[in-house]
Amino acid sequence: MSYTVKRAFNNNVVLARDEASGEEAMLVGRGLGFNAGPGDKVDACRIEKVFYFFDKDQFSQYETIINRIDKRVIGVAEEIIAMATAELKTLLNEHIHVALADHINFTLERLAGGLEIANPFLEEIKVLYPEDYQLACRAAKMIEERFNVKIPDGEKGFIAMHIHSARANREVSRTVKYASMINTMIEVIEEGLGAKIERHGINYARLLVHLRFTLDRIDKNAPVRNPLLANIKREFRKNYEIAEKLGDFICQRMGRKVPEDELGYLALHIHRISLSAAGEIV
């Protein structure tokens, strides 16, 4: 394919025009943008990743972004997207080109002003989206090297949410909503048990994953059958009562009643975590 440079953002990233289709595309490759100017032909041998904008509304937003912020931010954002795409071996939702660049720019502005926003969902993000968080850590290192700043762990968590949302093809707001809900659900469980939950144990990780899958099933209206429900309600009455409180909370936030079978599974996980909180081996 033949491409003509429209704009270079750094040595490795250019916005180009596909000569065959006339479509705009972001091209990423080592040395691709070095001394490149509008109208120059792109060395096809250097192209490593090509991102087309099939959604014209997204590209319109992207044009606004690239004309508003530092081109170095656009460059590093595109390199991060290329890195994540290569590692995950999957395409990401086009919106990440807009969202990630805008987020990185906002982060740099806040850090320059001495304002750091805490991420209340950081521990949940690390457990729920470990692959995305590891990619976010690599992304943070790239940003640190380019802009001579220190990216806090909380910001890595926010970047991870952008990556996860793009690969899951969902809005960042839903990822944030899930993390927020799970954070509150953990507090409900702790209040019901009268004990703090150890945040770094395997049982906590299992609980978080189960809570996420529960929210996914409720969101998709995909009920499960629980053959142990009667026994759970009888033997783990206190844990089931806590599960009912979680069900009420989920219903308030998602507008859907949580089936008893689902509550039974929640009660089982609460029982497991209660044994862990009591210091027993489970």
Side-chain angles (χ1 to χ4, degrees):
M1 283 190 166
S2 177
Y3 296 93
T4 300
V5 174
K6 293 189 67 176
R7 185 173 179 182
F9 296 99
N10 63 23
N11 286 343
N12 306 316
V13 178
V14 299
L15 175 65
R17 180 178 184 275
D18 184 329
E19 292 299 326
S21 67
E23 299 287 340
E24 287 92 355
M26 291 299 298
L27 310 180
V28 181
R30 190 174 296 277
L32 205 60
F34 182 69
N35 283 337
D40 290 347
K41 295 295 183 182
V42 176
D43 183 353
C45 295
R46 293 182 179 274
I47 299 174
E48 297 172 13
K49 288 290 179 184
V50 179
F51 300 109
Y52 284 94
F53 293 88
F54 297 106
D55 187 325
K56 298 309 174 187
D57 288 337
Q58 292 287 0
F59 184 68
S60 177
Q61 292 181 45
Y62 193 59
E63 283 189 307
T64 300
I65 289 289
I66 64 179
N67 289 324
R68 179 173 61 83
I69 65 179
D70 189 332
K71 69 177 184 178
R72 295 178 302 158
V73 173
I74 301 296
V76 76
E78 292 300 329
E79 290 186 69
I80 289 169
I81 294 168
M83 177 268 293
T85 301
E87 290 294 320
L88 297 172
K89 295 180 174 57
T90 185
L91 291 176
L92 302 179
N93 186 287
E94 286 181 36
H95 185 63
I96 194 172
H97 295 273
V98 175
L100 185 60
D102 194 44
H103 178 78
I104 292 172
N105 185 65
F106 185 45
T107 298
L108 293 173
E109 288 179 348
R110 284 190 285 103
L111 293 177
L115 177 62
E116 179 182 338
I117 295 180
N119 188 332
F121 320 123
L122 182 60
E123 293 305 319
E124 287 77 13
I125 291 167
K126 287 180 179 180
V127 174
L128 292 172
Y129 316 122
E131 192 174 18
D132 304 297
Y133 185 74
Q134 287 304 312
L135 290 172
C137 289
R138 291 173 61 183
K141 188 174 181 180
M142 293 167 66
I143 298 168
E144 289 174 342
E145 291 173 348
R146 304 296 174 82
F147 294 91
N148 193 29
V149 296
K150 177 65 177 175
I151 301 296
D153 288 346
E155 291 294 345
K156 296 172 187 175
F158 289 128
I159 293 172
M161 286 197 289
H162 278 286
I163 294 172
H164 176 75
S165 298
R167 70 188 293 202
N169 228 6
R170 63 171 51 157
E171 295 178 357
V172 174
S173 59
R174 186 191 290 183
T175 301
V176 173
K177 178 181 178 181
Y178 273 21
S180 174
M181 287 182 67
I182 289 171
N183 186 277
T184 300
M185 291 164 78
I186 293 296
E187 293 175 354
V188 171
I189 294 171
E190 288 180 327
E191 182 179 350
L193 294 177
K196 296 295 289 183
I197 298 173
E198 169 56 50
R199 293 300 200 268
H200 302 291
I202 183 64
N203 291 310
Y204 179 67
R206 288 172 181 161
L207 178 63
L208 289 187
V209 171
H210 183 76
L211 293 178
R212 187 191 71 179
F213 286 158
T214 297
L215 295 180
D216 274 334
R217 287 192 293 269
I218 299 301
D219 189 40
K220 296 173 183 175
N221 194 25
V224 292
R225 183 174 175 274
N226 189 337
L228 302 174
L229 180 61
N231 289 338
I232 292 170
K233 294 174 75 171
R234 181 176 61 253
E235 296 179 23
F236 307 130
R237 186 176 303 172
K238 178 181 177 182
N239 298 315
Y240 189 81
E241 289 175 356
I242 297 172
E244 288 182 311
K245 291 180 181 178
L246 294 179
D248 291 340
F249 170 71
I250 293 170
C251 185
Q252 290 172 7
R253 290 293 301 273
M254 301 182 74
R256 293 184 179 178
K257 184 176 175 59
V258 180
E260 284 194 333
D261 294 86
E262 194 74 71
L263 295 178
Y265 283 120
L266 284 172
L268 274 180
H269 282 273
I270 294 168
H271 173 67
R272 181 190 293 272
I273 208 73
S274 70
L275 295 180
S276 177
E280 299 185 28
I281 298 174
V282 292

